[in-house]
Amino acid sequence: MADHKVHIFDTTLRDGEQVPGCKLNSSEKLELALQLESLGVDIIEAGFPISSPGDFESVSQIAKSIKNTTVCALSRAVEKDIEAAAQALKYAVRPRIHTGIGTSDLHIKAKFNSTRDEILARAIQCVKWARNYTDDVEFYAEDAGRTDNDYLARVIEAVIKAGATVVNIPDTTGYCLPHQYGEKIAYLVNNVPNIDKAIISCHCHNDLGLATANSIAGVIAGARQIECTINGLGERAGNTSLEEVVMIMKQHKHLGLYTNIVAEQLNPVSRLVSETMRMPVQPNKAIVGSNAFSHSSGIHQDGFLKDAQTYEIIAPEEVGADSSRIVLTARSGRSALAYRFQKLGFQFDRNDVDALYAEFLRVADSKKEVEDTDLTDMAQRHQVAVD
Ligand code: KIV
Ligand code: ZN
């Protein structure tokens, strides 16, 4: 199978920053953009310039400072939005304008009080406006997840003809099931005659916890760009998590898909984003959660200590995480206890560990995690008793 590159379009600074409490100032946005560039993302969506003077300034500063990565600015299908995006991107080495409009019948009626034909015309028009400023124009069909496939194909064909080089198929409300989203992408691959002139992009939200699965279904069906955020931040339940899709493609090599992401930077960048945006990462978050490489049950600890691969499909150093942790709790077994005593410098045989295990369980039942200081106390008391 031929290898196919999947472009990583990071929208932490735009969709991610829309999260209440995550607002960043220009210097914080710039610092994160520089880190995203060294992480290896292909496109940074830096903001929505028409939305506020502060965001215009942030996009402008990022556009001036980023040299190797495409810098993208969002706009609605409105001429003054597109002009603002173009102005903010004026000094970018690789500028991209991201413009578009809602295409589901619900959006057409409820948001625009319009018709399919009028929306089609507006879609073509906004791409033409954007093409006056840059050759790199991405069109989004908002709520594509709930848009009729036949109409979506007509819109996508028309915007590519008007000059769109990337076509974004957002599951804006996180509604689709993975097979439905994959079929939608496959439908466009098979029914849009000029689809080879553009890259199809997946932009999935996590309202049903399916953003990652849907994005992967999309690239399996032929999309070659994923829009995602660090730590899965984003509107409501969030966007597709960058670290998850990158590691899925790395783990499942048979898919023939790869990215340019430097995986060793995933945890450092995740921590930086979490601190800068003041948004903690849930401990059980895949790849970057504090428990992602912790083992606490006796059965798992025993297997892990014999061969780490029994319970870890990724080595922590591969994604820049701290080394794996054996956490001692009331669910831990003797192997983990013996291992930890050894680490602390105590040489105990099996009988010693058996004797200490009962005391260990008493302590473990009274607290969430048994600390090294508890174990040292236990070990020293035991040594005095047997001397
Ligand atoms: O979720 C969405 O549809 C969006 C678009 C603006 C791309 O964020
Ligand atoms: Zn979105």
Side-chain angles (χ1 to χ4, degrees):
M1 181 192 280
D3 276 353
H4 292 282
K5 175 170 170 178
V6 173
H7 296 85
I8 294 296
F9 175 115
D10 181 279
T11 183
T12 308
L13 302 180
R14 200 279 295 169
D15 226 329
E17 205 238 11
Q18 287 172 206
V19 174
C22 282
K23 192 175 159 341
L24 300 170
N25 61 37
S26 292
S27 64
E28 289 169 329
K29 272 191 135 182
L30 180 59
E31 187 196 356
L32 292 184
L34 292 166
Q35 291 309 315
L36 292 169
E37 184 173 44
S38 38
L39 178 65
V41 311
D42 300 282
I43 304 106
I44 295 171
E45 187 165 48
F48 184 12
I50 196 79
S51 66
S52 76
D55 215 38
F56 182 96
E57 185 50 33
S58 299
V59 176
S60 218
Q61 280 186 21
I62 293 170
K64 284 180 192 151
S65 310
I66 295 291
K67 300 289 175 230
N68 301 313
T69 305
T70 297
V71 180
C72 176
L74 184 75
S75 65
R76 293 166 299 179
V78 173
E79 197 169 9
K80 67 175 182 352
D81 280 37
I82 294 170
E83 277 165 18
Q87 282 308 311
L89 292 171
K90 197 155 116 199
Y91 298 105
V93 178
R94 297 164 204 271
R96 174 180 295 183
I97 296 179
H98 190 190
T99 188
I101 194 158
T103 53
S104 65
D105 287 335
L106 185 61
H107 278 225
I108 292 173
K109 193 83 208 112
K111 274 178 68 177
F112 305 112
N113 190 23
S114 187
T115 63
R116 284 186 176 187
D117 284 345
E118 274 175 20
I119 293 297
L120 178 64
R122 285 185 66 180
I124 294 168
Q125 180 61 73
C126 70
V127 170
K128 287 188 174 160
W129 281 327
R131 278 300 297 245
N132 290 332
Y133 300 102
T134 170
D135 291 344
D136 189 352
V137 172
E138 173 167 340
F139 173 82
Y140 64 85
E142 197 182 7
D143 205 21
R146 292 185 297 174
T147 299
D148 167 61
N149 282 348
D150 208 23
Y151 175 64
L152 185 61
R154 275 177 55 213
V155 173
I156 295 304
E157 180 180 354
V159 297
I160 295 173
K161 201 161 159 222
T165 44
V166 181
V167 286
N168 179 10
I169 312 301
D171 184 22
T172 304
T173 56
Y175 172 75
C176 290
L177 293 171
H179 76 273
Q180 291 170 330
Y181 190 74
E183 280 164 16
K184 191 170 281 288
I185 301 298
Y187 187 87
L188 297 175
V189 170
N190 295 323
N191 292 281
V192 174
N194 53 359
I195 199 70
D196 58 316
K197 308 255 177 329
I199 292 175
I200 303 179
S201 183
C202 308
H203 178 114
C204 298
H205 278 267
N206 207 29
D207 300 65
L208 293 173
L210 291 171
T212 293
N214 284 347
S215 299
I216 294 297
V219 290
I220 289 174
R224 287 294 172 265
Q225 177 176 288
I226 294 181
E227 310 201 357
C228 46
T229 59
I230 301 290
N231 302 335
L233 289 170
E235 281 275 355
R236 306 181 308 280
N239 286 59
T240 300
S241 152
L242 181 150
E243 55 278 6
E244 292 174 11
V245 287
V246 165
M247 291 313 293
I248 289 169
M249 289 184 266
K250 230 171 173 253
Q251 285 288 307
H252 290 273
K253 296 217 167 18
H254 63 278
L255 294 176
L257 302 170
Y258 70 95
T259 72
N260 275 359
I261 296 297
V262 182
E264 294 76 11
Q265 289 192 26
L266 287 172
N267 269 272
V269 174
S270 158
R271 278 195 292 272
L272 180 70
V273 167
S274 166
E275 283 161 21
T276 315
M277 291 191 150
R278 298 159 283 274
M279 184 56 71
V281 176
Q282 71 193 62
N284 58 326
K285 170 81 182 61
I287 321 294
V288 295
S290 56
N291 285 347
F293 299 97
S294 296
H295 305 274
S296 72
S297 86
I299 296 171
H300 288 210
Q301 289 171 337
D302 183 52
F304 173 80
L305 290 170
K306 288 174 176 147
D307 179 344
Q309 290 184 32
T310 53
Y311 287 97
E312 274 183 0
I313 59 166
I314 299 168
E317 54 276 14
E318 213 185 311
V319 290
D322 296 337
S323 52
S324 309
R325 261 184 0 122
I326 292 283
V327 185
L328 292 178
T329 71
R331 305 291 155 259
S332 299
R334 288 173 174 76
S335 321
L337 186 62
Y339 166 82
R340 184 63 69 80
F341 277 136
Q342 202 187 4
K343 285 248 154 209
L344 291 170
F346 298 100
Q347 299 304 327
F348 288 139
D349 63 19
R350 205 189 165 87
N351 290 337
D352 291 315
V353 174
D354 282 346
L356 281 157
Y357 188 62
E359 190 184 347
F360 163 76
L361 285 182
R362 266 194 305 280
V363 177
D365 267 337
S366 68
K367 56 197 303 198
K368 286 191 192 321
E369 188 178 330
V370 180
E371 314 283 345
D372 285 350
T373 48
D374 301 314
L375 295 176
T376 306
D377 286 352
M378 250 180 249
Q380 285 168 346
R381 278 199 304 277
H382 180 76
Q383 279 174 331
V384 170
V386 293
D387 276 349

